């Protein structure tokens, strides 16, 4: 039985393991003050074409979202997120635990509905101007993920429009890049890493799902946002052996490894999509990245589960269930062939 | 110009003022440990037919909601509220500031949609059972207000169904009674105070909007919920001169004053509604209580505003605006006649 | 039995009650947007000689401390307070509930020990500079109360030195003025209200203990500190009928009423002190304000408690107990005579 | 230059790296639901002789302290810690950020002063009983670390007395075991792991400093304390690839590896201590574990710093500085010989 439930089911890319083994018994300064971290920060700034960006390495996605969002918001300020956004549904209230409201916005296929968002911002701003903003949670930031929880992508036009809305309504734009590698590696993606860095105020480059053992690299391009080391420490998000993060991101951002390995996941996923269509399955939604959603007769699930791992997404109707297959940087041709043979 | 914007625009009922004046220079023990408070608690327990209920007096509605809800919920537990519920839209994030998520539910005319709620609870519970509840905010309580922010009422059948849903899904039922007096005083209301006490796990009886200078009486009927004095104090919600709350509620719950004065507000509001209909205005929604919502040609608003105070609720279309008139325990026939003369 | 336990045992000064009665049935805008509040703010700015100060009215001391301190501090910043400071010992963790550490400092007779404070700040700053500040709670403000919880006073020289320390170490100075009236009214006090306004970044003028039914007036003189209305609302500290606060402070700051009535409390207390000394009681500490601390043989307490109310402060030794008598703006000659007759 | 600043300067024990490499490309279930974690939990329960204990794996010490303490305390409850305890001085306010007060207690050489603690608990309990507990932060737990931040140890007699105090005053006992391995490995230690499990209500076994890349194993022996997976997730402390924690602790608790490698650190440290004494250095405090504190002439520090890494602890006087050398599981004879040659 081969697992395709998610994209964080393997350890790290072999090159990362090689480096970790290599320096294992060296002595390094703690808390991210080592030279690997410094170098990795520099490599990321270069890849982002943002020489002045502040880079921070954290361990996982939920803690990253909590620390970054808590850094952006003051009292009675909230962050708008698509209804299906990770912070709204899948992080056990981590943002609220820091005292902030997640303001849900209409989402279509995992993406925030930009027309609905614009109308909401116009209407709500007018209302606040009329009756006084002090009774409300004031939107101060927008959260989107790229790729989204449903594998979909924002186009450059859409991200630019989001940026314009942020400028117009005085909002920060925060992009959760847990799967940023898989987004950027998609043939359908017309956005580049420098685009993301230019359009967002702060974002993170996901390592956990894209080649690292663990680790997310926060990139702060707007100096008005301070993600301080004290904040990271006080939220329990500062790794003692910080060089473990540094050396992983140094490896990922040397010779474009991050982008290279992300491509594999997307290629395998698109091959899978083609096969699914070919075999007559109904594709639940058209995902151009490493997550593929397919409608499966519910009665087939028990047998399938003995052969491959998948994630149940939703009950579609009396006879059908939506399931998800994820590929990753580590998915091999043989693994995919096995999966296809079970369909 | 006479103000009808809200129901907390006057001071206290004259009988309350008389009592406050009477004991003004007496010396009382602080922090609610006085005999007026003890007596008021007893009167409220009797009115609720709940001899074992715990009663707490707080100053205002937002702090009451925050303290009560924070007392009910543990980490990563949330409270379901209708989309239009006060805690979801009008309290500047007070619940989130205590670390808890308000989970918005579909609302119709200010009331939680019970069919949609049932479906949501069934679906979500099934999902959590399947994938593990640890990634989610787990619903632990339901918040409704009575009367609602739009003046509407839950029937006894509806409240009973809410109670059943709470029992079935292991949820507390919390009723925000900022306007409970105006609800119970409505001819259309088939719910009594003992019904509320029997069906809710905790609720509050609003004083601020119904005759008091300020003050809300929390009634906890489920001993599993502990609204401790330490919690009230630590949230800055314990009044030093607590007897000011005690004597107000003692007065309100002596000889049924609370219910008597609430009736005046509803009677004046219903008279207003009849006149509005008679004069051909479009009633925006059918409110059986002290808040009346009417569609007004936008071009008339400027003139109207010079004569009476009203609250703008929403822009309906290019030519019409929804506005609200509130009556209160203090609204006189003369004031209403003036309002009617302006319509 | 006449109670002398505390200084908030009576209602409001009769002139305040007169005004509250007078306007009781008038209709006013809510949430402090009324003209009484605006006028009271203006009167307070004038009394402080701070034409640009921001004034906010809150209901009680604990909520005021929580909101103000939460407004001053960011993540992993703390506030230094004397060990015996109200926020450190008597507010049920209200500051920590907002996420902030109270850093206890050595106190002598209720006052922060300035030499010890200076040494601490020098040493700690050096330490943080050496090892990085991110592992620590960084002091960002100093809290003192005036008069203190033990009735003592800071001299102008001492407050000026505190200010200098704040300037040198980049700290805000916050003065809790729950009993500010009784401090300023003391013959031994060489500090004026304009001095307080000039030396502190933010402070509050206590109403609850000095003539009001309830209410504290926050005065923010440093524009870097924003005590926003949204923050006040979201902490449940915004009174719906805000004009009740406005008219009380308007009354207190008209014709110097606040200072006049405060003087009565201090005069009665100093008379009491003289009598206690005369009668051979050991004064526990030399308080120049309205709280008097005296050593009482423990065996006398039971009898005394039947005649007058007092507060037990501490067990001194096997045979003696320290107790406190408080006078207030409302203490009459007859009440004092009764107390003296019991000693 | 060889670094002796701390005990987390190397990667993981080679056996751990071997296992991580071995399973690197296997696919595992996420979030700690893998079989390595289950097995590691079982091994730890056995080592603790606590078959019913709940075991949780977290990434680092600060987040572990925050989650565990937040799980133990309710509103306005606090945790007593020695003045020098890690949570009181070195975690950037992580406990306060969860809303809880750390109540500092007198410490001697890093250990809580048990006589002073008993007196405090007796006095404070009496005070709360007299005046009502609602104005105070109520102590609900005691925090100690083993070994302490200064390398010292609690004896079995002392831990038993702490337990008795906890029973008497209804407190939980929480032991921070970031360096538990180094404590248990000390010849001077008369406490065993089963003793710790029997006496504490909850504690953690530190991996980060004792052989792991990262990771702490929380052991909850008192079922009244629920450290839920939802709480861990919502505080951003749940590692996606949880098996990385599981396999590390499985390795450490197979064939007693944890205890074996801890012994090396203590042996090297005690050798160092003997040499320091022999060479005539003043030992700052007598540490029986892997941290050694020595008084060094300040003028020697610059030269020394070019040869070995050390941690500056405090300025002792005009001419002397206290510094710390740490050994670890990875310290070799050659490294120690180098250090000794520099002294």
């Amino acid at each position: 039985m081969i697992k395709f439930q998610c994209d964080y089911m393997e350890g790290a890319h072999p090159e990362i393991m090689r480096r970790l083994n290599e320096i294992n018994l060296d002595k390094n300064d703690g808390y991210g003050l080592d030279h690997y971290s410094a170098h990795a920060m520099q490599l990321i700034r270069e890849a982002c074409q943002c020489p002045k960006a502040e880079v921070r390495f954290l361990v996982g996605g939920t803690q990253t979202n909590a620390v970054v969002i808590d850094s952006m918001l003051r009292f009675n300020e909230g962050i708008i997120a698509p209804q299906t956004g990770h912070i709204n549904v899948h992080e056990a209230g981590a943002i609220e635990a820091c005292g902030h409201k997640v303001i849900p916005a209409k989402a279509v296929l995992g993406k925030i509905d930009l027309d609905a968002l614009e109308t909401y911002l116009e209407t709500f701003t007018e209302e606040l101007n009329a009756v006084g903003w002090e009774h409300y949670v004031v939107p101060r930031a927008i959260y989107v993920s790229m790729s989204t929880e449903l594998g979909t992508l924002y186009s450059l036009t859409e991200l630019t429009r989001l940026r314009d809305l942020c400028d117009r309504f005085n909002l920060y734009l925060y992009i959760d890049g847990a799967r940023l590698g898989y987004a950027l590696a998609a043939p359908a993606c017309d956005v580049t890493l420098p685009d993301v860095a230019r359009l967002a105020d702060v974002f993170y480059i996901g390592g956990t799902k894209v080649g690292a053992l663990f680790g997310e690299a926060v990139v702060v391009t707007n100096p008005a946002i301070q993600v301080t080391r004290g904040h990271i420490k006080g939220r329990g998000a500062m790794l003692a052996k910080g060089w473990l993060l540094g050396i992983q991101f140094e490896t990922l951002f040397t010779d474009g490894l991050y982008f290279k390995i992300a491509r594999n996941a997307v290629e395998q996923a698109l091959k899978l999509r083609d096969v699914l269509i070919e075999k007559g399955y109904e594709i639940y939604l058209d995902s151009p990245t490493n997550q593929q959603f397919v409608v499966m007769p519910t009665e087939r699930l028990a047998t399938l589960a003995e052969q491959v791992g998948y994630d149940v997404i939703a009950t579609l109707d009396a006879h059908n269930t939506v399931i998800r297959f994820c590929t990753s940087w580590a998915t091999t041709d043989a693994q995919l062939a096995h999966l296809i043979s079970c369909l």
Side-chain angles (χ1 to χ4, degrees), chain A:
Chain A
M1 210 271 292
I2 300 179
K3 294 172 198 269
F4 287 89
Q5 282 96 322
C6 201
D7 30 19
Y8 49 71
M9 311 196 88
E10 298 92 2
H13 188 274
E15 180 60 16
I16 284 179
M17 288 310 286
R18 193 184 67 73
R19 292 289 287 138
L20 287 175
N21 288 316
E22 202 167 61
I23 67 151
N24 184 49
L25 292 180
D26 293 356
K27 288 168 181 279
N28 280 289
D29 289 330
Y31 301 115
L33 300 176
D34 62 284
H35 60 91
Y36 301 109
S37 295
H39 187 214
M41 288 173 184
Q42 189 49 34
L43 291 173
I44 287 174
R45 280 189 209 99
E46 287 166 13
C48 294
Q49 298 178 10
C50 265
K52 292 184 178 170
E54 188 78 74
V55 180
R56 303 280 188 212
F57 298 121
L58 284 87
V59 171
T62 298
Q63 76 177 207
T64 299
N65 286 335
V67 169
V68 170
I69 293 171
D70 196 30
S71 299
M72 284 192 290
L73 306 182
R74 305 222 52 174
F75 197 93
N76 83 306
E77 294 180 341
I79 184 161
I80 296 169
Q83 189 80 44
T84 51
H86 210 256
I87 59 169
N88 193 44
V89 293
H90 222 256
E91 299 190 352
I95 307 308
E96 290 84 2
C98 296
H100 307 296
K101 191 180 189 75
V102 178
I103 305 167
K106 189 185 166 194
V108 178
L109 299 182
K111 293 161 63 180
I112 205 164
D113 181 310
L114 291 171
D115 291 331
L117 177 65
E118 184 163 4
T119 303
Y120 160 75
L121 287 170
E122 285 170 349
T123 310
F124 194 57
T125 302
E126 192 185 23
E127 182 177 346
L128 263 59
N129 285 343
V131 304
W133 57 269
E134 61 256 36
H135 301 284
Y136 298 87
V137 174
V138 181
R140 185 76 187 93
I142 296 180
Y143 165 100
V144 293
S145 34
M146 177 81 171
S147 61
T148 71
E149 295 73 12
L150 293 177
T152 49
L153 295 171
Y154 291 89
S155 68
L156 186 55
T157 306
E158 289 168 332
L159 276 192
T160 303
R161 184 168 168 207
L162 255 179
R163 174 74 265 161
D164 290 345
L165 284 174
C166 286
D167 289 342
R168 186 170 150 212
F169 292 101
N170 191 28
L171 303 166
Y172 295 127
L173 179 57
Y174 171 46
I175 299 179
D176 177 333
R179 293 185 173 101
L180 188 57
Y182 300 141
L184 298 176
C189 184
D190 67 348
V191 174
T192 65
L193 184 56
D195 288 333
V196 170
R198 179 174 51 84
L199 293 168
D201 295 286
V202 50
F203 66 102
Y204 80 84
I205 302 170
T208 298
K209 291 177 174 165
V210 191
L213 275 180
F214 54 86
E216 325 294 330
V218 175
V219 183
V220 189
T221 60
N222 182 340
I225 300 168
Q226 306 264 326
V227 181
T228 69
R229 285 173 55 80
H231 203 143
I232 294 170
K233 170 75 181 183
R235 284 284 178 214
M238 183 176 278
L239 192 66
K241 302 184 183 179
W243 70 85
L244 299 176
L245 291 162
I247 203 164
Q248 290 188 86
F249 277 100
E250 184 188 54
T251 306
L252 288 170
F253 280 83
T254 296
D255 299 333
L257 184 67
Y258 186 75
F259 305 98
K260 225 175 294 172
I261 66 177
R263 216 169 299 140
N264 174 70
V266 179
E267 284 167 3
Q268 302 286 9
L270 298 187
K271 274 190 256 171
L272 173 62
R273 185 177 64 171
D274 290 347
V275 170
L276 286 165
I277 292 170
E278 206 178 294
K279 294 201 178 209
Y281 285 97
E282 183 188 346
I283 298 296
Y284 177 60
L285 64 86
D286 186 32
S287 159
T289 63
N290 74 311
Q291 303 179 73
Q292 293 299 323
F293 300 82
V294 61
V295 178
M296 192 62 64
T298 304
E299 61 176 22
R300 280 208 48 194
L301 290 182
T303 315
L304 191 64
E306 290 167 14
Q307 302 172 301
V308 291
Y310 56 82
D311 220 21
V312 171
I313 298 301
T315 300
L316 191 64
D317 57 39
H319 301 292
N320 294 287
T321 301
V322 180
I323 66 172
R324 179 182 75 167
F325 297 113
C326 280
T327 58
S328 82
W329 58 272
T331 303
T332 62
D333 290 346
Q335 289 169 354
L336 190 74
H338 171 80
L339 168 52
I340 290 172
S341 73
C342 305
L343 294 171

